[in-house]
Amino acid sequence: MEPNDSRGQDTILSRVALNDNKAGMQGLDKDKINKIILETSKGSRFYENELKRERQVNQRIEKMMRYKAKVTEQQVQKAQAEVEKLTADLERSRELDRVIVHVDMDAFYAAVEMRDCPELKKKPMAVGSMSMLSTSNYHARRYGVRAAMPGFIAKKLCPDLVIVPPNFDKYRAVSEQVREVFADYDPQFLPMSLDEAYLDITEHLEQRQHWPESMRTHQICEMKTTGVEEMSELEISVGAETDTLSPVLFEDSPSSSPVVSGADVKVEVFGTSPEEAVREMRFRIEQKTTLTASAGIAPNMMLAKVCSDKNKPNGQYRILPERKAVMDFIQQLPVRKVSGVGKVTEKMLAALGIISCSQLGQQMAMLSLLFSETTWHHFLQISLGLGSTRIDRDSERKSMSTERTFAEMSDAQEQYSLCRELCHDLAKDLQREGLKGKTVTLKLKNVNFEVKTKAFTLQCAVCTEEEIFAAAKDLLKAEIDYVSPLPLRLRLMGVRVSSFISIDDKQPRQKSIVGFLKMASDYSSSAQPSKSEMVSVLGSSVSSTWEQYPEPRSPSFTGETSKPFSKWRTESDCASEPQQQTFFQKAHAKRLQKQYEQEETSGPYTDKISKCLPTDSTNNSAFIVRTHKATVKTDETQRCTWISHPDTHELAAKSDSNLPTTNPVSYAAQTKTKSANMLQCFTCPVCFSQIETKDLSSFNQHIDKCLRSELDNKSRSMDGCQYLCEDKNLLDNQGDAEKDHHKAIDLSSVSRKSVLKRNDEGPHTSSSTPLFEICAHSGFNTPFFKRFESMREKGSLVPHETMSDSGCVSFHQTASSVEVISEPLDMKVSTLTCPVCNQAQDTDDLILFNHHVDMCLNQEVLLEFREAVPPMAQSNSKVKDHEQYSTARGKSKRRGLSPPPPPKKAKAISTRHTIDKFFKGNSNHKF
DNA sequence: GGGGGAAGGATTC
DNA sequence: TCACGGAATCCTTCCCCC
């Protein structure tokens, strides 16, 4: 259907044309208004998108009509029987004894603004912006200006329109006043927004019957008496009322309270009926705020809501609690008036000849064949005038989100920046409400107004900026990659967190590392803990200094290699197959849990993620050094991690130029403090000799030297850089209780300086401060690690009692209390030997070298994989498990509407080399 | 086949 | 001149997994 033909225009009218389903908008010249709206909108991207959506609705209708044409009489009869049965059931359960009230403030935001700025009262005005109006006063409505209309179109309709920017603080304050009144009638009232609420006044009315008149008498604040004005039918039925104080918000509105004049004071006495109670409530609201409210009184929420609109503004309407009264009211009610029936549903029903609720009831059998069960059940309830008679006050929030609309944004870096900002804002909101959710959803709207949402469910609930951003940025990256090389042209971005965990899940039971390993053992031997158990187990108390974190990668790296331990895949594997969690997934879960615990005891995370430190170009993991601002109570547990090298930011910036990085909070100050010019004793983390110096650079030179030597050794001996390897011999030589500390070491661990600073201040305990934490996914047959082992066995190092929450093992020096000061190594290696192919690489460029290593490993793994898996099985679920990233991005359920997923990346990981395998493989070991 | 995740859409204020 | 929001919920459909 072409947009320019007359039919197309009629069609689009249902979407962009004036919706006069609002108080104060009857009797307008709709044709004229619609002509202006169409002329203003036509040709815009918004309009084009609306056309597209309209076509989709038309297709739905056509499909529905085709189906309807095929429905047989027999089907209808059968459906009719079902409808009648359900109708009888519903009738039996009909409740009429509750008195439900829906109160809605009249043009709330506009009314507040007019109250505070009386000159606006005589002008057409609206609250909002040129982009969007929140509401309008009744003058403006006469021009067709209404809520949810863009300001620029409103200006076309009414050039004199005054647009006032919203002031939500003010509205909240007024709303609070109104709610104080509500509470007197129903302490458990249900606010729906700042300006409306549901109340169940049944109990209030019972009590009210026994109230003396004095309790129902209210003094009238002298404000303005305008005399008797027009009255609605309702008010005539209620009794003569005099507008005594309406701030002339609605000059043609019905009047309100009757006045009983005393000698000096005017008072008003209200009766005991529901109408009187509600009138009193509205009276008190008006007295308190000088704003008017409208109300509906009915036996259920659905009807009360419709009723509150019946005599708007400044009026009320009651449906008596009798079946006949309800059915009489419903019969002529247009379906569109019912909350929940929007323009699409209205149009679909209209196509079936259904405009009123009585028609809805007449065609229920057919509707039951054309719509889903949920939908037609809802229709049936509407047609019977049924609704909820109990106000659900206990419903919990299910999601929290933040989104922003902006001028076109095509630059990826800007988009990542914005994404982080949104995550920051959302994290603050979540933490304010103490919420943590497992599903992160990214919402994008492109410049053509097409909306796309991408969601990912993590195994653990998250609430910090970093955690949310970690997921959101990957979702964003997937979209950017998908449209690449074209830019992703956005006009809106939003981030949502949902699937909140329950209170129970937030309170994990503590378990020791023994428990953890026992569980890992049990786990692998089929006894699966529940999710909450899993979270609990992973919540052991540890000190965290280093954390594995996915490095935001620059585009130049994206296609290089698959990244074996990206958080993305880690989490998705967790989510989909908890029983196959890798060690790192568990460790990550534990980290998140630990974070939460710290927040619980010490307030929110101070968000001091000092830096993502890319260690080298092949390593997909960056290290985040967290500093906790007084998050732990005792000295024993108070630990800080410092970055000792001032160049780390530059390094990070170079490696991570495409993405916004975390603000290096107070980094410089910390560095300076730690670099105080005093003689200190350092332990070389590589050769473990004691170096006494006050010059860190000389110490660093020493470490560099050691590391070069170490790396050279390692490159010859290790069987895979950051890829896992197992050393059964080593394991066999260890005591059972210590085996849990045998983690591998990775290239990144080696390629960093670790400065051990003696802490001579005050007493120390060996268990208080970690000397070293070796990141979990590393090889442990390296000389480097073995030296650790040796030191540990000698008693110089005491393994921390638990596995670190970052998936690291902490070591503590017994001789003195130390702090770990770590940084990535700015290594200068002249010649590097590939640990995979054992070929010397003619380069000292780590990026090139690491790229080569990745390529070698990919080839090896692919080779192994091909050998291990028959060709036909290579596309099975085992493969899919590693493709969560692609899955999340391309797993559109609406294949016809969504683009196909991007090509899947080659993997460079073999499940052979996982710690998880290690645990499983050693499940017979007695830990 | 049911449960649940993902994605899109409808609806409300 | 250009220019159509933000937050939340519920529903439907598709699809995967058990």
Side-chain angles (χ1 to χ4, degrees), chain A residues 350-502:
Chain A
L352 297 165
I354 297 169
I355 304 296
S356 69
C357 291
S358 60
Q359 293 167 326
L360 196 66
Q362 288 157 13
Q363 293 208 41
M364 198 50 69
M366 181 58 76
L367 292 172
S368 74
L369 296 168
L370 300 178
F371 289 86
S372 72
E373 187 178 78
T374 308
T375 305
W376 80 260
H377 281 192
H378 181 55
F379 288 158
L380 181 58
Q381 296 205 33
I382 291 171
S383 72
L384 294 170
L386 296 170
S388 176
T389 56
R390 296 286 187 275
I391 299 174
D392 179 15
R393 291 141 171 136
D394 301 324
S395 64
E396 289 181 348
R397 175 195 278 277
K398 294 182 176 61
S399 68
M400 188 181 272
S401 65
T402 186
E403 64 186 62
R404 222 169 283 168
T405 295
F406 37 80
E408 178 176 345
M409 183 188 286
S410 306
D411 179 66
Q413 190 153 354
E414 270 188 77
Q415 291 166 352
Y416 282 118
S417 270
L418 175 66
C419 184
R420 183 180 275 284
E421 266 181 50
L422 292 168
C423 293
H424 174 81
D425 293 348
L426 182 56
K428 273 203 302 190
D429 292 345
L430 286 166
Q431 287 165 20
R432 193 181 304 126
E433 291 198 22
L435 295 168
K436 299 186 86 168
K438 295 199 291 182
T439 303
V440 176
T441 305
L442 181 73
K443 177 180 175 181
L444 302 172
K445 189 189 279 182
N446 68 15
V447 291
N448 293 322
F449 289 85
E450 292 162 337
V451 179
K452 197 177 254 192
T453 57
K454 297 288 167 188
F456 188 72
T457 300
L458 306 161
Q459 197 234 344
C460 305
V462 297
C463 71
T464 66
E465 174 189 335
E466 288 305 318
E467 293 163 343
I468 302 166
F469 182 63
K473 78 164 184 352
D474 281 351
L475 292 166
L476 175 60
K477 184 177 181 303
E479 286 308 304
I480 291 173
D481 287 351
Y482 180 67
V483 299
S484 177
L486 296 173
L488 186 60
R489 302 176 63 196
L490 299 179
R491 63 167 289 118
L492 174 144
M493 189 188 294
V495 181
R496 181 166 69 235
V497 168
S498 54
S499 306
F500 294 131
I501 55 173
S502 68

Side-chain angles (χ1 to χ4, degrees), chain A residues 536-582:
Chain A
S536 301
V537 167
L538 295 174
S540 311
S541 174
V542 290
S543 90
S544 167
T545 52
W546 295 353
E547 294 194 17
Q548 278 282 275
Y549 219 76
E551 173 194 359
R553 295 189 294 275
S554 66
S556 58
F557 295 151
T558 54
E560 285 183 2
T561 58
S562 87
K563 306 298 181 180
F565 293 110
S566 84
K567 181 182 176 207
W568 183 274
R569 191 164 59 220
T570 294
E571 297 287 31
S572 51
D573 286 348
C574 286
S576 59
E577 294 192 7
Q579 74 278 18
Q580 289 182 13
Q581 283 185 319
T582 67

Side-chain angles (χ1 to χ4, degrees), chain A residues 711-874:
Chain A
L711 183 68
D712 201 35
N713 289 338
K714 182 178 178 175
S715 68
R716 294 191 184 93
S717 62
M718 71 185 293
D719 58 356
C721 294
Q722 68 263 44
Y723 303 98
L724 296 177
C725 53
E726 297 172 17
D727 190 336
K728 292 267 174 19
N729 294 332
L730 185 60
L731 272 177
D732 292 340
N733 293 332
Q734 304 304 320
D736 289 338
E738 294 176 0
K739 284 180 181 171
D740 49 282
H741 296 296
H742 295 156
K743 305 296 167 281
I745 197 160
D746 66 14
L747 189 58
S748 62
S749 301
V750 177
S751 61
R752 65 180 56 239
K753 297 171 194 167
S754 297
V755 182
L756 311 180
K757 175 180 171 294
R758 179 186 292 279
N759 181 358
D760 290 320
E761 296 162 11
H764 55 263
T765 57
S766 61
S767 62
S768 65
T769 315
L771 172 63
F772 257 96
E773 289 183 339
I774 299 186
C775 255
H777 61 85
S778 326
F780 40 77
N781 59 347
T782 64
F784 182 73
F785 183 76
K786 283 175 179 168
R787 216 161 300 154
F788 259 103
E789 283 300 294
S790 160
M791 201 165 166
R792 188 165 64 81
E793 283 162 11
K794 287 177 197 160
S796 313
L797 281 174
V798 177
H800 197 278
E801 65 182 66
T802 58
M803 190 178 306
S804 145
D805 55 359
S806 59
C808 300
V809 181
S810 304
F811 288 90
H812 296 244
Q813 196 169 30
T814 51
S816 64
S817 178
V818 293
E819 289 176 346
V820 175
I821 304 171
S822 68
E823 65 176 41
L825 173 64
D826 182 20
M827 283 201 304
K828 304 287 181 207
V829 183
S830 54
T831 304
L832 299 165
T833 305
C834 172
V836 184
C837 67
N838 221 19
Q839 302 270 321
Q841 301 302 302
D842 188 21
T843 177
D844 60 355
D845 183 339
L846 276 177
I847 294 174
L848 292 175
F849 172 70
N850 287 328
H851 183 73
H852 166 86
V853 175
D854 273 353
M855 295 298 287
C856 276
L857 285 164
N858 280 346
Q859 286 176 13
E860 287 226 333
V861 170
L862 287 172
L863 189 63
E864 287 171 12
F865 196 69
R866 279 191 212 106
E867 286 167 357
V869 183
M872 290 301 287
Q874 286 187 16

